[in-house]
Amino acid sequence: MESWRASAACQNVDPDLFFPVGTGAPALVQAEEAKAVCQVCPVRAACLRWAMDDSRQVTGVWGGLTEDERRSLKRRSRRTSRAE
């Protein structure tokens, strides 16, 4: 297990919170609630890095970002690296 997980703010939160189902209003509210946990997390950057680089997580909220937000960030990063 990754050492950063021991310090994660989500340690005692129901993991289902971080995996909203659907795209309707209840799922959006659930994603925002999960992201609020991430906002105060001391290892948010490590979590996001793990989700995007190491494990390539495609679902759920990781490091304070939803799957769509992570995809968008990855696209921006690729465009930036190509422009350099």
XYZ file of all heavy atoms in Angstrom:
649
model
N 0.846 -1.190 0.000
C 0.000 0.000 0.000
C 0.888 1.248 0.000
O 1.933 1.265 0.627
C -0.911 -0.021 1.221
C -1.815 1.192 1.281
S -2.803 1.246 2.766
C -4.348 0.712 2.114
N 0.441 2.269 -0.684
C 1.192 3.508 -0.772
C 1.230 4.184 0.596
O 0.229 4.245 1.297
C 0.549 4.447 -1.799
C 0.619 3.937 -3.216
C -0.383 2.820 -3.506
O -1.355 2.655 -2.767
O -0.159 2.099 -4.482
N 2.389 4.718 0.969
C 2.553 5.315 2.293
C 1.671 6.545 2.495
O 1.265 6.833 3.616
C 4.011 5.674 2.524
O 4.458 6.585 1.549
N 1.356 7.274 1.432
C 0.540 8.475 1.573
C -0.874 8.153 2.035
O -1.527 8.973 2.665
C 0.501 9.283 0.274
C 0.017 8.531 -0.928
C 0.791 7.893 -1.847
C -1.338 8.337 -1.334
N -0.011 7.310 -2.802
C -1.319 7.573 -2.519
C -2.575 8.744 -0.819
C -2.469 7.193 -3.197
C -3.719 8.364 -1.498
C -3.662 7.600 -2.672
N -1.353 6.969 1.743
C -2.737 6.612 2.103
C -2.981 6.658 3.600
O -4.102 6.931 4.035
C -3.094 5.235 1.562
C -3.302 5.243 0.085
C -3.816 3.909 -0.371
N -3.996 3.914 -1.807
C -4.927 3.256 -2.430
N -5.778 2.500 -1.767
N -5.028 3.318 -3.742
N -1.962 6.395 4.396
C -2.120 6.397 5.849
C -2.480 7.782 6.373
O -3.068 7.906 7.446
C -0.841 5.900 6.514
N -2.148 8.825 5.622
C -2.435 10.203 6.050
C -3.636 10.810 5.335
O -3.942 11.979 5.527
C -1.212 11.083 5.767
O -0.098 10.594 6.467
N -4.321 10.031 4.531
C -5.428 10.552 3.724
C -6.628 10.947 4.583
O -6.979 10.262 5.539
C -5.850 9.515 2.687
N -7.255 12.054 4.223
C -8.421 12.556 4.953
C -9.621 11.627 4.797
O -10.545 11.660 5.603
C -8.784 13.950 4.452
N -9.604 10.777 3.788
C -10.736 9.889 3.516
C -10.663 8.567 4.269
O -11.532 7.707 4.089
C -10.839 9.626 2.016
S -9.380 8.809 1.331
N -9.670 8.398 5.119
C -9.472 7.133 5.836
C -10.736 6.607 6.515
O -10.988 5.418 6.500
C -8.381 7.288 6.900
C -7.006 7.205 6.364
C -6.682 5.815 5.822
O -7.273 4.815 6.173
N -5.721 5.767 4.946
N -11.497 7.488 7.109
C -12.684 7.054 7.860
C -13.990 7.477 7.197
O -14.998 7.641 7.865
C -12.615 7.597 9.290
C -11.422 7.047 10.037
O -11.166 5.852 9.991
N -10.673 7.920 10.681
N -13.936 7.652 5.873
C -15.112 8.042 5.105
C -15.535 6.846 4.263
O -14.689 6.110 3.748
C -14.783 9.251 4.204
C -15.976 9.648 3.349
C -14.316 10.429 5.044
N -16.834 6.667 4.096
C -17.345 5.571 3.271
C -16.780 5.703 1.852
O -16.996 6.718 1.190
C -18.871 5.633 3.233
C -19.513 4.509 2.445
O -18.789 3.724 1.791
O -20.749 4.416 2.481
N -16.053 4.694 1.360
C -15.447 4.776 0.025
C -16.468 4.999 -1.085
O -16.142 5.586 -2.118
C -14.755 3.422 -0.152
C -14.656 2.838 1.195
C -15.728 3.461 2.047
N -17.707 4.568 -0.872
C -18.739 4.762 -1.899
C -18.965 6.235 -2.218
O -19.390 6.569 -3.331
C -20.058 4.122 -1.475
C -20.009 2.603 -1.513
O -19.107 2.043 -2.185
O -20.863 1.968 -0.867
N -18.682 7.114 -1.248
C -18.843 8.546 -1.484
C -18.026 8.991 -2.685
O -18.440 9.869 -3.434
C -18.418 9.347 -0.241
C -18.450 10.871 -0.388
C -19.891 11.358 -0.540
C -17.788 11.530 0.804
N -16.871 8.382 -2.892
C -15.939 8.808 -3.935
C -16.225 8.185 -5.304
O -15.488 8.433 -6.255
C -14.504 8.502 -3.488
C -14.146 9.275 -2.251
C -14.397 8.753 -0.998
C -13.625 10.550 -2.348
C -14.116 9.473 0.149
C -13.332 11.286 -1.206
C -13.585 10.746 0.040
N -17.310 7.422 -5.389
C -17.668 6.781 -6.649
C -19.140 7.010 -6.969
O -19.951 6.078 -6.954
C -17.343 5.278 -6.594
C -15.871 5.023 -6.446
C -15.304 4.868 -5.195
C -15.065 4.974 -7.571
C -13.938 4.659 -5.058
C -13.698 4.772 -7.440
C -13.138 4.610 -6.185
N -19.500 8.264 -7.285
C -20.896 8.559 -7.610
C -21.317 7.801 -8.870
O -20.525 7.592 -9.782
C -20.909 10.066 -7.878
C -19.561 10.576 -7.555
C -18.642 9.425 -7.376
N -22.571 7.399 -8.876
C -23.111 6.673 -10.019
C -24.024 7.603 -10.807
O -24.933 8.208 -10.253
C -23.893 5.424 -9.556
C -24.518 4.716 -10.739
C -22.972 4.498 -8.781
N -23.746 7.727 -12.101
C -24.585 8.551 -12.965
C -24.059 9.963 -13.123
O -22.971 10.298 -12.643
N -24.876 10.765 -13.791
C -24.493 12.151 -14.052
C -25.565 13.138 -13.602
O -25.458 14.325 -13.872
C -24.217 12.357 -15.556
O -25.396 11.993 -16.287
C -23.043 11.530 -16.024
N -26.588 12.641 -12.931
C -27.677 13.503 -12.477
C -27.309 14.295 -11.242
O -26.189 14.209 -10.719
N -28.274 15.059 -10.772
C -28.060 15.941 -9.622
C -27.537 15.202 -8.386
O -26.592 15.677 -7.752
C -29.338 16.702 -9.297
N -28.095 14.029 -8.019
C -27.568 13.345 -6.826
C -26.095 12.968 -6.978
O -25.325 13.100 -6.026
C -28.452 12.098 -6.705
C -29.719 12.466 -7.402
C -29.297 13.356 -8.533
N -25.693 12.530 -8.147
C -24.288 12.157 -8.373
C -23.389 13.384 -8.312
O -22.277 13.323 -7.776
C -24.126 11.447 -9.711
N -23.856 14.499 -8.838
C -23.065 15.734 -8.795
C -22.881 16.220 -7.359
O -21.793 16.651 -6.978
C -23.721 16.818 -9.647
C -23.778 16.533 -11.145
C -24.573 17.617 -11.873
C -22.383 16.404 -11.721
N -23.941 16.134 -6.566
C -23.855 16.523 -5.155
C -22.886 15.597 -4.430
O -22.037 16.050 -3.651
C -25.258 16.494 -4.488
C -25.155 16.599 -2.977
C -26.125 17.596 -5.049
N -22.977 14.301 -4.713
C -22.079 13.333 -4.080
C -20.627 13.620 -4.450
O -19.743 13.578 -3.595
C -22.469 11.920 -4.510
C -21.650 10.858 -3.838
C -22.093 9.458 -4.225
O -23.195 9.250 -4.713
N -21.216 8.491 -3.997
N -20.359 13.928 -5.710
C -18.992 14.242 -6.141
C -18.476 15.483 -5.420
O -17.312 15.533 -5.000
C -18.933 14.437 -7.652
N -19.315 16.486 -5.257
C -18.909 17.702 -4.546
C -18.605 17.401 -3.079
O -17.676 17.973 -2.509
C -19.968 18.795 -4.683
C -20.052 19.382 -6.079
C -18.719 19.934 -6.584
O -18.038 20.657 -5.822
O -18.361 19.648 -7.738
N -19.379 16.507 -2.472
C -19.123 16.126 -1.084
C -17.778 15.403 -0.978
O -17.007 15.638 -0.046
C -20.248 15.240 -0.551
C -21.546 15.989 -0.336
C -22.708 15.086 0.054
O -22.511 13.854 0.213
O -23.816 15.608 0.196
N -17.489 14.539 -1.928
C -16.204 13.831 -1.941
C -15.060 14.822 -2.130
O -14.033 14.749 -1.434
C -16.195 12.783 -3.052
N -15.233 15.753 -3.048
C -14.196 16.750 -3.307
C -13.950 17.631 -2.086
O -12.821 18.079 -1.851
C -14.578 17.590 -4.526
C -14.480 16.788 -5.823
C -15.195 17.422 -6.976
C -14.539 18.622 -7.511
N -15.165 19.142 -8.734
N -14.981 17.860 -1.277
C -14.821 18.650 -0.050
C -13.898 17.922 0.925
O -13.097 18.556 1.615
C -16.180 18.924 0.589
N -13.981 16.603 0.986
C -13.070 15.826 1.830
C -11.650 16.014 1.306
O -10.706 16.235 2.071
C -13.464 14.336 1.851
C -12.419 13.501 2.585
C -14.842 14.135 2.471
N -11.499 15.955 0.001
C -10.174 16.096 -0.621
C -9.573 17.483 -0.374
O -8.350 17.614 -0.260
C -10.258 15.843 -2.119
S -10.799 14.184 -2.579
N -10.398 18.502 -0.313
C -9.904 19.873 -0.148
C -9.062 20.040 1.110
O -8.143 20.852 1.127
C -11.066 20.871 -0.120
C -11.748 21.048 -1.446
C -10.832 21.629 -2.501
O -10.004 22.488 -2.238
N -10.971 21.141 -3.721
N -9.379 19.290 2.150
C -8.642 19.431 3.408
C -7.609 18.315 3.597
O -7.010 18.200 4.656
C -9.606 19.466 4.620
C -10.520 20.675 4.530
C -10.404 18.177 4.723
N -7.384 17.532 2.583
C -6.496 16.379 2.695
C -5.028 16.778 2.529
O -4.660 17.425 1.552
C -6.858 15.330 1.642
S -5.892 13.828 1.811
N -4.182 16.353 3.465
C -2.763 16.702 3.382
C -2.000 15.962 2.279
O -0.897 16.355 1.927
C -2.222 16.327 4.764
C -3.125 15.237 5.239
C -4.482 15.579 4.672
N -2.590 14.907 1.727
C -1.898 14.131 0.697
C -2.639 14.173 -0.640
O -2.505 13.288 -1.481
C -1.663 12.667 1.150
C -0.715 12.625 2.334
C -2.980 11.978 1.479
N -3.392 15.229 -0.837
C -4.192 15.367 -2.049
C -3.345 15.257 -3.319
O -3.717 14.564 -4.261
C -4.917 16.709 -2.015
C -5.755 16.971 -3.216
C -6.460 18.295 -3.093
N -7.170 18.578 -4.310
C -7.697 19.728 -4.599
N -7.601 20.724 -3.741
N -8.326 19.906 -5.730
N -2.215 15.921 -3.360
C -1.364 15.896 -4.564
C -0.845 14.488 -4.843
O -0.836 14.037 -5.995
C -0.209 16.879 -4.415
N -0.438 13.783 -3.803
C 0.062 12.411 -3.982
C -1.053 11.497 -4.476
O -0.832 10.634 -5.339
C 0.643 11.887 -2.678
N -2.243 11.681 -3.974
C -3.397 10.892 -4.389
C -3.705 11.135 -5.865
O -3.914 10.196 -6.636
C -4.593 11.259 -3.517
S -6.132 10.427 -3.944
N -3.715 12.392 -6.254
C -3.990 12.735 -7.648
C -2.909 12.169 -8.564
O -3.206 11.585 -9.607
C -4.081 14.245 -7.813
C -4.368 14.746 -9.222
C -5.684 14.185 -9.754
C -4.384 16.269 -9.241
N -1.677 12.311 -8.176
C -0.562 11.776 -8.964
C -0.692 10.257 -9.127
O -0.528 9.713 -10.204
C 0.763 12.142 -8.299
C 1.981 11.933 -9.123
C 3.246 12.546 -8.523
N 3.343 12.518 -7.067
C 3.147 13.562 -6.264
N 2.856 14.749 -6.762
N 3.257 13.437 -4.958
N -1.034 9.576 -8.024
C -1.220 8.126 -8.071
C -2.349 7.752 -9.023
O -2.211 6.837 -9.834
C -1.504 7.597 -6.659
C -1.727 6.121 -6.638
C -0.771 5.153 -6.581
C -2.981 5.450 -6.683
N -1.368 3.921 -6.595
C -2.724 4.074 -6.654
C -4.307 5.883 -6.750
C -3.731 3.115 -6.685
C -5.313 4.937 -6.780
C -5.024 3.576 -6.747
N -3.453 8.475 -8.916
C -4.615 8.159 -9.755
C -4.339 8.398 -11.228
O -4.810 7.646 -12.087
C -5.824 8.992 -9.314
N -3.568 9.423 -11.538
C -3.344 9.778 -12.938
C -2.155 9.041 -13.560
O -2.197 8.704 -14.739
C -3.142 11.282 -13.068
C -4.415 12.046 -12.775
S -4.267 13.807 -13.052
C -4.058 13.890 -14.809
N -1.127 8.819 -12.796
C 0.101 8.261 -13.366
C 0.315 6.792 -13.027
O 0.573 5.987 -13.905
C 1.321 9.051 -12.892
C 1.260 10.506 -13.325
O 0.601 10.806 -14.330
O 1.869 11.339 -12.639
N 0.225 6.471 -11.760
C 0.592 5.127 -11.315
C -0.490 4.092 -11.601
O -0.207 3.021 -12.108
C 0.923 5.122 -9.825
C 2.111 6.015 -9.504
O 2.893 6.314 -10.424
O 2.244 6.422 -8.339
N -1.728 4.412 -11.274
C -2.784 3.409 -11.404
C -3.716 3.660 -12.575
O -4.484 2.795 -12.944
C -3.609 3.349 -10.130
O -4.388 4.522 -10.021
N -3.677 4.887 -13.098
C -4.554 5.281 -14.202
C -6.034 5.024 -13.881
O -6.762 4.420 -14.648
C -4.157 4.594 -15.499
C -2.744 4.887 -15.924
C -2.461 4.314 -17.292
N -1.062 4.310 -17.634
C -0.364 5.348 -18.038
N -0.922 6.512 -18.114
N 0.898 5.241 -18.364
N -6.445 5.499 -12.724
C -7.838 5.364 -12.301
C -8.745 6.084 -13.280
O -8.480 7.228 -13.643
C -8.032 5.954 -10.905
C -7.430 5.148 -9.810
C -8.125 3.817 -9.623
O -9.340 3.721 -9.635
N -7.329 2.792 -9.462
N -9.795 5.430 -13.704
C -10.708 6.068 -14.643
C -12.039 6.433 -14.002
O -12.823 7.170 -14.600
C -10.951 5.194 -15.902
C -9.681 5.063 -16.716
C -11.485 3.832 -15.527
N -12.316 5.924 -12.819
C -13.578 6.254 -12.163
C -13.313 6.840 -10.787
O -12.256 6.641 -10.204
C -14.466 4.997 -11.993
O -13.781 4.050 -11.188
C -14.820 4.390 -13.336
N -14.281 7.570 -10.304
C -14.221 8.083 -8.938
C -13.531 9.423 -8.803
O -12.987 9.977 -9.752
N -13.602 9.937 -7.598
C -12.941 11.190 -7.231
C -11.623 10.833 -6.570
O -11.590 10.092 -5.583
C -13.826 12.022 -6.265
C -13.078 13.247 -5.773
C -15.133 12.411 -6.931
N -10.537 11.324 -7.117
C -9.187 11.077 -6.599
C -8.449 12.405 -6.586
O -8.474 13.132 -7.580
C -8.425 10.095 -7.482
C -8.982 8.713 -7.459
C -9.962 8.209 -8.276
C -8.620 7.664 -6.575
N -10.219 6.913 -7.949
C -9.401 6.547 -6.911
C -7.703 7.561 -5.547
C -9.300 5.338 -6.237
C -7.597 6.350 -4.880
C -8.394 5.256 -5.227
N -7.816 12.735 -5.496
C -7.062 13.977 -5.416
C -7.922 15.210 -5.642
O -7.442 16.245 -6.079
N -9.192 15.094 -5.366
C -10.095 16.235 -5.505
C -10.639 16.460 -6.896
O -11.299 17.464 -7.135
N -10.386 15.534 -7.812
C -10.882 15.693 -9.179
C -11.717 14.489 -9.600
O -11.386 13.349 -9.280
C -9.715 15.848 -10.170
C -8.791 17.042 -9.964
C -7.697 17.038 -11.021
C -9.552 18.348 -9.991
N -12.772 14.758 -10.350
C -13.592 13.689 -10.919
C -12.879 13.102 -12.132
O -11.872 13.652 -12.597
C -14.956 14.226 -11.382
O -14.741 15.156 -12.449
C -15.734 14.876 -10.250
N -13.420 12.023 -12.659
C -12.804 11.420 -13.840
C -12.752 12.395 -15.018
O -11.741 12.462 -15.726
C -13.484 10.104 -14.244
C -14.971 10.171 -14.378
C -15.732 9.655 -13.146
O -15.231 9.742 -12.029
O -16.855 9.169 -13.352
N -13.811 13.171 -15.221
C -13.805 14.152 -16.324
C -12.749 15.229 -16.096
O -12.060 15.638 -17.023
C -15.183 14.805 -16.474
C -16.232 13.852 -17.017
O -15.855 12.826 -17.641
O -17.434 14.132 -16.828
N -12.624 15.684 -14.866
C -11.628 16.713 -14.560
C -10.206 16.179 -14.732
O -9.331 16.896 -15.220
C -11.838 17.230 -13.135
C -13.129 18.011 -12.987
C -13.534 18.245 -11.544
O -13.175 17.445 -10.661
O -14.228 19.243 -11.301
N -9.987 14.925 -14.361
C -8.659 14.329 -14.557
C -8.342 14.168 -16.041
O -7.222 14.438 -16.464
C -8.546 12.977 -13.838
C -8.495 13.112 -12.327
C -8.082 11.830 -11.650
N -8.839 10.666 -12.046
C -10.013 10.304 -11.540
N -10.586 11.041 -10.613
N -10.608 9.200 -11.953
N -9.327 13.750 -16.825
C -9.114 13.629 -18.284
C -8.761 14.977 -18.889
O -7.856 15.096 -19.702
C -10.362 13.066 -18.961
C -10.329 11.579 -19.176
C -11.421 11.121 -20.125
N -12.766 11.444 -19.686
C -13.475 10.714 -18.843
N -12.977 9.615 -18.333
N -14.689 11.071 -18.504
N -9.473 16.006 -18.480
C -9.215 17.357 -18.976
C -7.810 17.823 -18.582
O -7.085 18.400 -19.401
C -10.276 18.307 -18.420
O -10.035 19.615 -18.827
N -7.421 17.573 -17.347
C -6.089 17.944 -16.880
C -5.018 17.216 -17.683
O -4.008 17.804 -18.078
C -5.953 17.622 -15.388
C -4.616 17.928 -14.736
C -4.280 19.411 -14.845
C -4.644 17.488 -13.278
N -5.247 15.958 -17.967
C -4.285 15.169 -18.745
C -4.159 15.728 -20.165
O -3.060 15.844 -20.707
C -4.728 13.707 -18.788
C -3.571 12.761 -18.792
C -4.027 11.361 -18.522
C -3.196 10.863 -17.449
N -2.750 9.694 -17.155
N -5.288 16.098 -20.775
C -5.252 16.687 -22.127
C -4.476 17.991 -22.115
O -3.647 18.242 -22.988
C -6.674 16.924 -22.644
C -7.329 15.707 -23.230
C -8.588 16.068 -24.005
N -9.575 16.785 -23.212
C -10.532 16.206 -22.498
N -10.651 14.909 -22.473
N -11.383 16.934 -21.821
N -4.745 18.843 -21.129
C -4.021 20.118 -21.034
C -2.532 19.883 -20.854
O -1.710 20.569 -21.450
C -4.564 20.970 -19.878
C -5.871 21.654 -20.195
C -6.221 22.724 -19.178
N -6.175 22.299 -17.790
C -7.187 21.802 -17.113
N -8.370 21.646 -17.682
N -7.063 21.464 -15.838
N -2.182 18.907 -20.025
C -0.771 18.601 -19.784
C -0.090 18.127 -21.067
O 1.049 18.508 -21.363
C -0.626 17.523 -18.720
O -1.088 18.005 -17.488
N -0.785 17.296 -21.841
C -0.199 16.821 -23.105
C -0.017 17.960 -24.084
O 1.010 18.053 -24.745
C -1.102 15.741 -23.729
C -0.883 14.373 -23.130
C -1.547 13.321 -23.973
N -2.988 13.462 -23.990
C -3.834 12.678 -23.338
N -3.390 11.677 -22.627
N -5.132 12.893 -23.400
N -1.004 18.851 -24.162
C -0.897 19.998 -25.074
C 0.265 20.888 -24.660
O 1.024 21.371 -25.502
C -2.189 20.803 -25.107
C -3.233 20.243 -26.014
C -4.351 21.230 -26.222
N -5.038 21.524 -24.992
C -6.249 21.101 -24.666
N -6.931 20.351 -25.501
N -6.793 21.422 -23.534
N 0.414 21.119 -23.373
C 1.484 21.971 -22.869
C 2.838 21.345 -23.161
O 3.764 22.032 -23.614
C 1.332 22.203 -21.349
O 0.073 22.803 -21.116
C 2.433 23.077 -20.816
N 2.976 20.053 -22.939
C 4.265 19.406 -23.173
C 4.613 19.370 -24.669
O 5.760 19.459 -25.047
C 4.303 18.002 -22.575
O 3.371 17.167 -23.205
N 3.615 19.266 -25.548
C 3.867 19.294 -26.988
C 4.270 20.681 -27.455
O 5.041 20.836 -28.387
C 2.643 18.840 -27.765
C 2.485 17.353 -27.837
C 1.409 16.998 -28.798
N 0.131 17.464 -28.289
C -0.957 16.713 -28.198
N -0.945 15.478 -28.591
N -2.074 17.211 -27.704
N 3.734 21.703 -26.777
C 4.033 23.090 -27.180
C 5.431 23.516 -26.760
O 5.956 24.488 -27.288
C 2.984 24.026 -26.560
N 6.014 22.819 -25.812
C 7.348 23.213 -25.319
C 8.447 22.785 -26.246
O 8.452 21.980 -27.037
C 7.592 22.617 -23.935
C 6.669 23.219 -22.917
C 6.822 22.570 -21.546
O 7.471 21.515 -21.416
O 6.270 23.118 -20.600
